[in-house]
Amino acid sequence: MAKLVVAGKANCPYYAKAELLADYLQANLPDFRVHKITHHPDKWEQWLHDICETNGWEHRQSPIIWRELLDRGGKGLLLGGVNDFLEYAQHYYGITSMMLSEEMLDIAEENLQAYIETEKEEEEIKSLIKPLQIWITSASAPTCYQLIPLLANGEVFGMTTDISIHLLDSDQFKEVLCGIVMEAEDMAFPLLRSISAHTEIDEAFIQADIIIVLDDVLLNCEVQSIGNYIREVSDICQVYAPLIERNAKSEVRVISSGKTFINLKAMMIMTYGPSIKTENVIAVATSWESAAKATLARKLNMNTAGVKDVIVWGNIAGCNYIDLSHAKLYGYNCAIWGPANFPRPVLNMIYDSEWIHSEFLSAQSSLNSRVSHCVGMLPAHAVATVLRYWYHGSPPGEIVSVGVFTEGQFCVPDGIVFSMPVRFQNGNWKVITELETSETTQEVLKRLAHELIQEKLIALREIKEMHPYGADEITS
């Protein structure tokens, strides 16, 4: 089979002549195929230069015609211009073109008009597609690097949703951001409309649909007090929140992630941005949830994916409580077998209660250490998972732990960001208040809430020190 490629300027009369001859050959010869490439006159020279440089050809005029070697692969075989193509058609097929100059000029003009109209239609279609605008702060972090492919491959928002990603960080990380941009562009994700780097804070969060806050502070309590670290977090959110109110869309969704003060970042964004809807700001606990599930799976010698409904209560990156009272196992190899959707309670399958109380539940610092030393893959997967649930719903009946603004659920005081069990459905989340909690769990929740309240009070005190005249308005 012969496949010819005919490329030329849209307004070139010689391209028109070659195009019509190629169409005639394709219509009358069963094994002849033609592919046409048309370019605007303003873009033709650069395109021709690039294609010739890539293939090692010498050609300077419109059209350029080559034969694709379908049976052998590799680069095409250059035929040349319109005269070379006429000779080729005459020699191999005994067919030539008798088109007059006036006809060539008329068809060339029609080609140009058709090309302009097609381009205009394509631009109009593109303008109707509104990509999701996603902003990622502290974008030089390894988590961001791991997160971009997860967002751009279509699994999070769906295979029909285009996205634009905006990377925000300080000027000292500009080269890192540019490197990430180039690498993401080279990967040619079909749903990634654009990706850009930003170091000017004033242009942050413009038209944002989603904001992922990855900012962290490096903890070293021997050097600074916890109050100083809380002030650092407060300072970051004091910059971000007004910009979110001013630049982002009214229904913007904000996700607090990272390794430190995850709850506090969400709380301070709500505090400094009172017009931001509290239900649209959440803190991600999935990394800690996943680490706990993996610990259980190793103990039971099973696949981690089969461990469900582990709940992370409280301060996600601080003092939290891993609750196994509702946790279930699916596909666990034990004496009782059932279908794939048949669950077994975790506490019934772990007969070593001493291990649960002495090693698992008392190993919060170990879990925190594991998560804090992650290189980015786990927290990136956690953010992507929560976003997918937020837009498409969590698995039916499954519990997800998320830090949300409290309104008295489970007797936790109002007005703090507290990790608790939720379900995502129809683009919203809902706390699963019908879950039963034991007296022991309730006592733990009171203690955890007290810690978060103290953290909030320290932050508010810092606000009052920095804004003595406007503190009441900010903290009300």
Side-chain angles (χ1 to χ4, degrees):
M1 176 182 288
K3 178 182 177 181
L4 259 65
V5 180
V6 181
K9 290 190 294 185
N11 64 343
C12 174
Y14 299 104
Y15 171 65
K17 187 171 187 175
E19 176 191 22
L20 289 182
L21 176 59
D23 287 342
Y24 180 84
L25 293 174
Q26 179 172 256
N28 290 277
L29 300 174
D31 293 329
F32 188 95
R33 295 291 180 269
V34 62
H35 176 66
K36 293 178 284 187
I37 301 174
T38 310
H39 282 282
H40 193 278
D42 296 340
K43 301 177 182 178
W44 166 254
E45 295 296 337
Q46 184 61 50
W47 182 88
L48 180 62
H49 175 269
D50 293 342
I51 194 71
C52 288
E53 185 175 3
T54 300
N55 291 283
W57 295 336
E58 286 289 337
H59 193 83
R60 295 290 179 266
Q61 295 177 336
S62 172
I64 180 172
I65 303 162
W66 69 90
R67 180 181 176 186
E68 293 285 356
L69 304 179
L70 299 181
D71 55 339
R72 298 195 334 230
K75 68 178 183 179
L77 176 65
L78 179 65
L79 295 183
V82 64
N83 291 331
D84 301 294
F85 181 42
L86 292 174
E87 290 178 10
Y88 172 86
Q90 178 67 43
H91 179 74
Y92 283 96
Y93 306 112
I95 298 173
T96 190
S97 173
M98 304 301 293
M99 184 184 293
L100 301 176
S101 299
E102 290 184 3
E103 292 179 283
M104 293 164 53
L105 292 171
D106 290 341
I107 294 174
E109 182 62 28
E110 291 176 6
N111 281 345
L112 179 59
Q113 292 303 318
Y115 179 86
I116 293 173
E117 289 176 8
T118 301
E119 270 199 332
K120 186 178 179 180
E121 288 177 4
E122 290 176 354
E123 289 299 321
E124 288 177 354
I125 292 172
K126 288 181 180 178
S127 69
L128 296 176
I129 302 173
K130 302 292 185 183
L132 277 177
Q133 303 293 329
I134 303 171
W135 284 78
I136 305 175
T137 71
S138 193
S140 62
T143 298
C144 175
Y145 186 81
Q146 301 283 351
L147 180 60
I148 289 172
L150 300 179
L151 297 177
N153 66 10
E155 294 182 10
V156 174
F157 303 108
M159 298 305 296
T160 59
T161 303
D162 286 14
I163 65 172
S164 290
I165 297 177
H166 306 268
L167 309 179
L168 178 67
D169 213 319
S170 59
D171 193 60
Q172 71 182 99
F173 295 108
K174 187 172 184 178
E175 288 189 13
V176 175
L177 298 186
C178 291
I180 295 174
V181 168
M182 286 190 291
E183 196 165 344
E185 289 175 340
D186 290 344
M187 294 180 75
F189 294 106
L191 299 174
L192 182 58
R193 177 72 69 85
S194 65
I195 181 168
S196 55
H198 304 265
T199 57
E200 297 294 333
I201 193 64
D202 289 341
E203 64 185 31
F205 313 131
I206 292 176
Q207 292 298 301
D209 292 291
I210 298 166
I211 298 171
I212 302 168
V213 181
L214 299 180
D215 299 73
D216 274 318
V217 294
L218 299 176
L219 296 180
N220 187 345
C221 293
E222 296 178 0
V223 178
Q224 293 191 65
S225 68
I226 195 69
N228 287 335
Y229 290 120
I230 290 175
R231 173 177 283 185
E232 283 187 43
V233 175
S234 182
D235 288 345
I236 292 168
C237 297
Q238 184 186 8
V239 174
Y240 287 167
L243 288 169
I244 294 172
E245 288 186 302
R246 187 179 73 200
N247 294 340
K249 294 178 181 176
S250 59
E251 294 295 327
V252 63
R253 299 180 181 186
V254 182
I255 290 183
S256 173
S257 184
K259 301 176 182 178
T260 58
F261 297 107
I262 299 174
N263 296 54
L264 184 63
K265 284 185 291 188
M267 183 73 251
M268 289 294 97
I269 286 173
M270 297 178 197
T271 302
Y272 284 117
S275 70
I276 302 171
K277 296 181 179 179
T278 56
E279 64 269 23
N280 283 359
V281 183
I282 64 174
V284 176
T286 314
S287 295
W288 280 260
E289 190 180 295
S290 298
K293 290 177 180 178
T295 302
L296 291 169
R298 281 192 294 272
K299 175 67 176 177
L300 295 165
N301 192 28
M302 64 175 293
N303 190 331
T304 304
V307 185
K308 307 288 186 182
D309 298 345
V310 173
I311 302 173
V312 179
W313 295 95
N315 192 355
I316 296 167
C319 188
N320 55 50
Y321 171 56
I322 307 297
D323 184 1
L324 303 183
S325 60
H326 301 277
K328 303 178 185 66
L329 305 177
Y330 292 84
Y332 179 53
N333 186 8
C334 62
I336 300 176
W337 281 76
N341 60 349
F342 178 69
R344 304 292 297 167
V346 166
L347 295 179
N348 289 359
M349 295 295 101
I350 299 180
Y351 301 105
D352 187 356
S353 59
E354 182 66 23
W355 177 84
I356 294 176
H357 292 93
S358 64
E359 294 186 40
F360 182 79
L361 295 181
S362 64
Q364 302 301 303
S365 60
S366 175
L367 283 179
N368 287 342
S369 177
R370 284 181 59 193
V371 175
S372 64
H373 285 87
C374 291
V375 295
M377 191 184 304
L378 177 59
H381 179 264
V383 171
T385 299
V386 169
L387 271 173
R388 185 173 72 252
Y389 290 168
W390 207 347
Y391 275 81
H392 300 290
S394 51
E398 192 169 317
I399 296 172
V400 183
S401 301
V402 174
V404 299
F405 189 76
T406 56
E407 297 177 345
Q409 305 96 330
F410 301 106
C411 298
V412 175
D414 296 354
I416 57 176
V417 172
F418 196 91
S419 180
M420 56 180 64
V422 306
R423 286 196 180 101
F424 290 92
Q425 190 174 13
N426 299 324
N428 300 301
W429 54 263
K430 181 182 179 182
V431 177
I432 310 174
T433 54
E434 63 270 20
L435 282 182
E436 295 183 4
T437 54
S438 65
E439 291 184 5
T440 302
T441 299
Q442 290 174 11
E443 288 299 319
V444 173
L445 298 190
K446 290 179 183 177
R447 189 175 70 248
L448 296 176
H450 178 74
E451 180 193 75
L452 282 166
I453 290 170
Q454 293 303 310
E455 198 174 82
K456 178 181 176 180
L457 290 175
I458 294 172
L460 295 181
R461 187 171 65 244
E462 299 294 337
I463 292 174
K464 289 182 178 180
E465 290 178 4
M466 291 185 290
H467 306 279
Y469 301 104
D472 293 338
E473 181 180 345
I474 293 174
T475 59
S476 59

